[in-house]
Amino acid sequence: MKIKTIVCLALILSGGLIGCSTAARHRPDIQPPKVPSLTKVELKFVSVDSEETKGEDGHGKNAVDGKRGSYWHTQWQGASPGLPHEIVIELLPPSVIKGFTYMPRQDVSDHGTIKDYEFYVSGDGKNFGQPVKTGTFEPGKGGSTEAFKPVKCRFIKLRAISEVNGLPWTSAAEIGVVQSCGVDAR
């Protein structure tokens, strides 16, 4: 093999020819660019306005337990408080989010599946202000992801305005958030 070929091959293998400066690789004062890290947020159940705890396991905490087979369901045994219904969830640590997810109950029933909704954020869990997103979920068992402008918050609230069958209940298998990476929200 010729010397020129060996030198070129050595430069290529050392990163000296293909977009990688050998001077930068050997200078400790030159640092690679920082890539923002994303700490996975934990969702902690705070409260619901109604939950079924006698006729079934419809506790509010089921909406954030990571299990598609469990679900939050508003009370139906003995009484059926009317809509709207809401669930409040805390984000640990407080995070910048740009959306949320909703998974309807995954069993054979569609009772309580949310049709129209409002989604709120808060820093203190008391003052939620105006919704950051309103809309209508598509019917069916598939989950929905809803996006909005990135915002930093510690608490979220999903408020069900109507149900797919016009019934007074609300249910949710899972509620989640979509984190925003590297965006500072006001």
Side-chain angles (χ1 to χ4, degrees), residues 127-148:
N127 301 304
F128 284 91
Q130 295 298 310
V132 294
K133 181 77 176 180
T134 61
T136 302
F137 293 125
E138 292 293 322
K141 297 290 183 183
S144 297
T145 300
E146 305 297 321
F148 47 82

Side-chain angles (χ1 to χ4, degrees), residues 74-90:
T74 54
Q75 183 183 2
W76 52 264
Q77 186 169 327
S80 292
L83 291 153
H85 293 294
E86 59 190 41
I87 183 169
V88 176
I89 299 165
E90 184 176 9

Side-chain angles (χ1 to χ4, degrees), residues 95-173:
S95 301
V96 177
I97 62 171
K98 62 181 180 179
F100 76 98
T101 60
Y102 168 71
M103 175 67 63
R105 60 190 288 181
Q106 296 296 294
D107 63 356
V108 296
S109 179
D110 63 355
H111 288 173
T113 300
I114 299 171
K115 180 179 177 187
D116 297 307
Y117 69 85
E118 296 173 345
F119 188 82
Y120 300 82
V121 299
S122 171
D124 63 7
K126 294 175 181 41
N127 301 304
F128 284 91
Q130 295 298 310
V132 294
K133 181 77 176 180
T134 61
T136 302
F137 293 125
E138 292 293 322
K141 297 290 183 183
S144 297
T145 300
E146 305 297 321
F148 47 82
K149 184 178 175 182
V151 60
K152 185 171 185 175
C153 61
R154 181 174 168 192
F155 295 89
I156 60 170
K157 176 169 60 175
L158 177 60
R159 188 170 197 219
I161 305 301
S162 65
E163 192 259 6
V164 293
N165 300 305
L167 299 171
W169 306 308
T170 296
S171 63

Side-chain angles (χ1 to χ4, degrees), residues 8-25:
C8 285
L9 185 57
L11 282 172
I12 291 171
L13 291 175
S14 70
L17 285 181
I18 312 247
C20 189
S21 167
T22 55
R25 288 184 321 120

Side-chain angles (χ1 to χ4, degrees), residues 47-101:
S47 66
V48 290
D49 69 305
S50 174
E51 61 187 355
E52 180 57 55
T53 60
K54 294 180 182 161
E56 68 180 327
D57 177 11
H59 290 90
K61 66 183 180 182
N62 294 344
V64 294
D65 67 1
K67 301 174 187 171
R68 290 177 154 206
S70 67
Y71 54 90
W72 161 50
H73 197 293
T74 54
Q75 183 183 2
W76 52 264
Q77 186 169 327
S80 292
L83 291 153
H85 293 294
E86 59 190 41
I87 183 169
V88 176
I89 299 165
E90 184 176 9
L91 281 59
L92 300 170
S95 301
V96 177
I97 62 171
K98 62 181 180 179
F100 76 98
T101 60

